[in-house]
């Protein structure tokens, strides 16, 4: 029976792949080939510009990316070897991405604030052949972080430092090289957090990512002459998919901001006549709160602002609609694993304000109960999805991937949601405990483990506290041991233990005990409700 079920599953999967090809969502074309054909005849047009003065035409981008590809070839890199990109939002990021793809290697991108341990973990998980980074990004010593990770890895990894337009190779200690990837169709790896705090390596093919770019291009009428603004880190999936790859897909100008500054962002969008961006809730909130001295409205050129990463408050959406009259603002729901929903221009106002919109063409969504039965419209359950833009697996974690698929090949998202009869998705919660702060997933477990080792902490739970600007704040709920520790003391303790600053809680609450299950596990949903209610009561002086 198991063999028959597996055979049916494989046949069903193949039928869907054939359908995606017939529909034109999967063409088999590589991103470099498409870019080369679309930009032909426009070689002197702008390809990418950043806020540090970097500026490349399509000819420059093609030539400089060819240099990267040649470097990899000269150093005997093999097809399918994985290369980690650890770079800031500068023109070099786009050069490296295109160069790695042209060389037949697999890019695997990370944000520059990745710490040593997580960099080591993903390098070993993927068997990375090299890390490409810069010596320093702001106050982050990216070069030293990469060197330390390389030393800790059990296989040989080379390091390429991009410094003042020079390429400096540093060969790792002579160890055994990891084998190139043998995953059929693998084109790009991105990373997402898990409830244990360890990143998952999300695999996409050229077809799955092209399906996302194609359907976005059609839904938002994008083309070669529509500049894309991207302040979201290119190391995250939003920046990668809707910035770096989307601009290459259409050979459209990519306007990059490295360090977030809302006033500068408004100027860059206006000066470059950007028409599209995707960003998390704090970006939208900051633009609403920013001063603007010009006669035209804010974001006058921007036709589309896709806001995701966490729930977007209705009050913020209404303010943005008033301040940005020329900009269509919609909630964006999606995962590194794919999917993606947005509202469209004829969506009713109520849907715009209260839902995450409808799926991109080809995306199938269902709501399941705890017994895997499909629920009717309006009923809350777990969201599962299948479609041409959904990922192809977790690298090195095949059992995990299989465990998250239904018998019909739908991926379990881990989100609670409802789905209306007309296809509008409403996210109502999360099965996992991840906290989404500023559009970034933060696993509470490493923070809890570190805080639990403090001598003044008897018990601890880290939860997300709702915040209009950041989506959620990190709130440490503490059962003290003796003297009550202050937030400052605990955060200094965390940083001394090597946790990054963005893992430091912004709030602390003291309790005598936690709500628990019969098995003794903390009921975090209940705890969160209690903390929110208690805090709100304090605010009104009750």
């Amino acid at each position: 029976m198991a063999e028959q079920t597996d055979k049916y599953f494989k046949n069903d999967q193949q039928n869907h792949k054939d359908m995606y090809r017939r529909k034109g969502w999967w063409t088999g074309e590589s991103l470099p080939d498409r870019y080369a054909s679309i930009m032909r005849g426009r070689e002197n047009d702008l390809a990418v510009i950043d806020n540090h003065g970097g500026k490349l035409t399509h000819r420059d981008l093609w030539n400089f990316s060819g240099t990267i590809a040649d470097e990899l070839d000269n150093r005997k890199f093999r097809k399918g070897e994985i290369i980690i990109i650890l770079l800031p939002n500068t023109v070099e990021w786009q050069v490296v991405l295109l160069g790695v793809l042209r060389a037949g290697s697999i890019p695997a991108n990370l944000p520059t604030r990745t710490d040593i341990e997580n960099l080591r973990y993903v390098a070993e998980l993927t068997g990375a052949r090299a890390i490409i980074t810069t010596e320093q990004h702001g106050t982050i010593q990216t070069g030293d972080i990469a060197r330390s990770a390389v030393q800790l890895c059990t296989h040989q990894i080379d390091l390429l430092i991009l410094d003042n337009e020079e390429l400096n190779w540093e060969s790792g200690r002579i160890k055994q090289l990891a084998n190139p990837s043998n995953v059929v169709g693998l084109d790009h790896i991105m990373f997402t957090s898990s409830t244990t705090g360890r990143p998952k390596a999300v695999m996409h093919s050229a077809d799955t990512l092209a399906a996302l770019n194609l359907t976005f291009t059609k839904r938002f009428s994008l083309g070669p002459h529509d500049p894309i603004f991207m302040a979201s880190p290119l190391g995250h999936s939003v920046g990668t998919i809707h910035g770096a790859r989307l601009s290459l897909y259409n050979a459209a100008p990519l306007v990059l901001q490295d360090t977030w500054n809302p006033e500068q962002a408004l100027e860059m969008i206006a000066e470059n006549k950007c028409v599209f961006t995707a960003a998390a809730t704090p970006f939208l909130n900051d633009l609403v709160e920013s001063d603007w001295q010009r006669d035209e409205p804010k974001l006058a050129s921007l036709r589309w602002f896709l806001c995701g990463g966490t729930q977007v408050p209705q009050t913020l959406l209404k303010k943005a609609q008033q301040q940005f009259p020329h900009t269509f603002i919609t909630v964006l729901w999606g995962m590194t694993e794919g999917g993606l929903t947005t509202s469209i221009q004829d969506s009713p106002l109520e849907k715009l304000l209260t839902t995450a919109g409808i799926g991109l063409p080809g995306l199938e969504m269902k709501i399941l109960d705890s017994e895997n039965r499909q629920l009717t419209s309006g009923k809350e359950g777990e969201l599962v999805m299948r479609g041409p833009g959904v990922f192809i697996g977790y690298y090195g974690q095949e059992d995990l991937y299989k465990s998250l698929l239904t018998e019909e090949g739908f991926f379990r998202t881990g989100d609670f949601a409802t789905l209306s009869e007309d296809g509008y998705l409403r996210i109502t919660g999360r099965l996992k405990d991840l906290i989404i702060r500023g559009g970034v997933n933060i696993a509470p477990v490493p923070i809890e483990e570190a805080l639990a080792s403090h001598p003044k902490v008897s018990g601890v739970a880290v939860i997300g506290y709702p915040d209009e600007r950041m989506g959620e704040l990190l709130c440490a709920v503490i059962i003290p041991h003796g003297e009550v520790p202050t937030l400052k003391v605990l955060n200094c303790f965390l940083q001394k233990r090597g946790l990054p600053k963005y893992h430091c809680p912004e709030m602390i609450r003291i309790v005598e005990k936690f709500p628990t299950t019969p098995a003794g596990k903390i009921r975090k949903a209940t705890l969160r409700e209690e903390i929110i209610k208690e805090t709100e009561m304090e605010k009104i002086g009750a």
Side-chain angles (χ1 to χ4, degrees):
M1 179 63 70
E3 291 181 1
Q4 289 179 342
T5 301
D6 188 53
K7 183 178 180 180
Y8 170 80
F9 175 76
K10 289 181 179 179
N11 289 338
D12 189 51
Q13 290 286 83
Q14 186 59 50
N15 289 338
H16 278 83
K17 291 177 182 179
D18 292 341
M19 180 186 73
Y20 299 154
R21 294 186 181 96
R22 290 196 306 271
K23 294 279 189 178
W25 294 321
W26 285 10
T27 66
E29 184 179 35
S30 75
L31 186 60
D33 285 349
R34 177 178 170 85
Y35 172 66
S37 66
I38 298 294
M39 67 91 165
R40 189 171 296 122
R42 301 171 46 247
E43 287 85 355
N44 292 324
D45 289 354
L46 177 66
V48 56
I49 187 172
D50 63 39
N51 63 306
H52 295 296
K55 185 176 182 180
L56 300 177
T57 64
H58 292 298
R59 178 180 286 107
D60 295 331
L61 178 56
W62 188 258
N63 290 340
F64 293 157
S65 65
T67 299
I68 296 292
D70 289 343
E71 281 281 326
L72 298 176
D73 183 59
N74 292 338
R75 295 182 70 86
K76 309 301 181 186
F77 275 61
R78 296 166 290 178
K79 303 291 185 184
E81 288 189 309
I82 293 164
I83 298 177
I84 294 174
I85 302 175
L86 189 70
L87 291 170
N89 280 24
T90 60
V91 297
E92 288 78 13
W93 206 101
Q94 198 75 330
V95 170
V96 169
L97 172 64
L98 185 56
V100 169
L101 290 172
R102 289 176 65 184
S105 299
I106 310 299
N109 49 279
L110 285 165
T112 57
R113 64 182 182 181
T114 302
D115 58 31
I116 295 170
E117 177 54 28
N118 274 319
L119 181 56
R120 179 209 62 80
Y121 175 79
V122 301
E124 293 207 321
L125 175 66
T126 60
R129 176 68 174 82
I131 299 173
I132 301 180
T133 188
T134 186
E135 195 62 64
Q136 185 168 338
H137 179 216
T139 60
I140 303 173
Q141 303 293 327
T142 45
D144 288 342
I145 289 171
R147 291 185 187 94
S148 297
V150 165
Q151 290 297 315
L152 292 171
C153 283
T154 57
H155 69 281
Q156 181 177 330
I157 302 177
D158 288 344
L159 190 61
L160 174 58
I161 302 291
L162 302 185
D163 190 19
N164 295 325
E165 299 183 359
E166 292 185 4
L167 308 178
N168 298 312
W169 283 97
E170 298 178 14
S171 296
R173 286 189 301 168
I174 302 301
K175 305 175 187 176
Q176 184 175 355
L177 290 173
N179 291 324
S181 165
N182 61 0
V183 177
V184 177
L186 178 60
D187 193 64
H188 204 133
I189 294 176
M190 304 172 207
F191 299 95
T192 186
S193 301
S194 69
T195 53
T196 63
R198 289 298 192 187
K200 293 175 288 186
V202 177
M203 298 189 293
H204 275 283
S205 68
D207 277 333
T208 60
L209 291 173
L212 297 177
N213 290 160
L214 168 66
T215 48
F216 254 57
T217 293
K218 290 184 175 180
R219 176 167 288 189
F220 300 110
S221 302
L222 300 175
H225 302 289
D226 295 317
I228 297 167
F229 176 73
M230 192 51 60
S232 301
L234 296 179
H236 286 298
S237 58
V238 169
T240 302
I241 297 171
H242 310 309
R245 291 192 70 113
L246 181 59
S247 67
L248 290 173
Y249 184 86
N250 287 320
L254 179 62
V255 180
L256 296 173
Q257 186 182 33
D258 182 22
T259 303
W260 174 240
N261 179 299
E263 286 77 20
Q264 183 187 60
L266 289 171
E267 294 292 340
M268 293 181 71
I269 290 169
E271 290 173 6
N272 294 282
K273 301 186 185 308
C274 298
V275 304
F276 175 90
T277 195
T281 307
F283 293 79
L284 182 62
N285 184 83
D286 289 352
L287 292 173
V288 166
E289 298 297 327
S290 296
D291 290 330
W292 181 244
Q293 302 300 325
R294 297 196 186 189
D295 293 334
E296 71 269 20
K298 288 181 182 177
L299 305 183
S301 68
L302 201 72
R303 299 200 302 267
W304 314 101
F305 193 121
L306 278 52
C307 188
T310 186
Q311 296 286 353
V312 186
Q314 290 186 40
T315 54
L316 176 59
L317 287 172
K318 291 176 180 177
K319 288 179 183 177
Q321 288 171 347
Q322 292 172 354
Q323 288 200 23
F324 316 146
H326 300 298
T327 306
F328 182 83
I329 303 160
T330 173
V331 173
L332 165 68
W333 176 85
M335 308 176 71
T336 305
E337 289 88 346
L340 303 183
T341 68
T342 71
S343 289
I344 53 179
Q345 279 197 307
D346 59 359
S347 295
L349 179 60
E350 185 269 338
K351 300 287 190 183
L352 271 170
L353 294 176
T354 64
T355 77
I358 59 177
L360 293 177
L363 179 64
E364 300 174 77
M365 296 183 289
K366 293 181 180 181
I367 305 297
L368 304 182
D369 66 11
S370 58
E371 302 297 323
N372 293 324
R373 294 170 298 200
Q374 185 173 352
L375 297 173
T376 57
S377 62
K379 298 292 185 180
E380 183 183 60
E382 184 182 5
L383 172 66
V384 299
M385 64 180 180
R386 177 175 69 184
V390 177
F391 77 133
I392 61 174
Y394 293 118
Y395 196 93
Q397 298 169 305
E398 186 175 356
D399 289 343
L400 172 63
Y401 174 60
K402 288 181 177 179
S403 72
L404 294 174
L405 295 180
T406 70
E407 290 184 358
E408 295 176 302
F410 282 77
F411 172 68
R412 299 181 179 275
T413 66
D415 284 332
F416 279 118
T418 64
L419 200 60
S420 67
E421 288 186 5
D422 50 357
Y424 280 86
L425 176 71
R426 189 193 305 266
I427 301 295
T428 58
R430 295 191 297 278
L431 294 174
K432 50 199 174 188
D433 289 329
L434 286 179
I435 298 165
I436 305 179
R437 180 187 181 279
V440 177
N441 290 351
I442 299 175
V445 173
I447 308 171
E448 291 169 341
E449 289 177 346
L451 288 175
S453 65
H454 192 282
K456 294 181 180 179
V457 175
S458 175
V460 58
V462 175
I463 60 173
Y465 189 91
D467 179 74
E468 182 163 311
R469 177 175 181 270
M470 298 301 293
E472 289 182 313
L473 301 177
L474 295 178
C475 177
V477 186
I478 301 292
I479 299 176
H481 179 71
E483 181 183 355
V484 176
T486 65
L487 182 63
K488 182 177 180 180
V489 166
L490 292 179
N491 283 339
C492 287
F493 179 77
L494 289 176
Q495 291 190 284
K496 286 180 180 178
R497 290 179 64 87
L499 270 72
K501 187 176 180 180
Y502 72 99
H503 277 188
C504 292
E506 292 100 331
M507 299 173 60
I508 184 173
R509 290 292 179 268
I510 306 301
V511 298
E512 294 182 357
K513 62 180 181 178
F514 296 125
T516 60
T517 66
K521 293 183 179 181
I522 298 173
R523 295 185 184 273
K524 284 196 171 180
T526 303
L527 177 63
R528 186 172 185 266
E529 291 174 2
E530 292 175 354
I531 294 299
I532 292 171
K533 182 178 179 180
E534 177 185 318
T535 303
E536 292 302 315
M537 294 293 285
E538 289 177 359
K539 287 180 181 179
I540 62 176

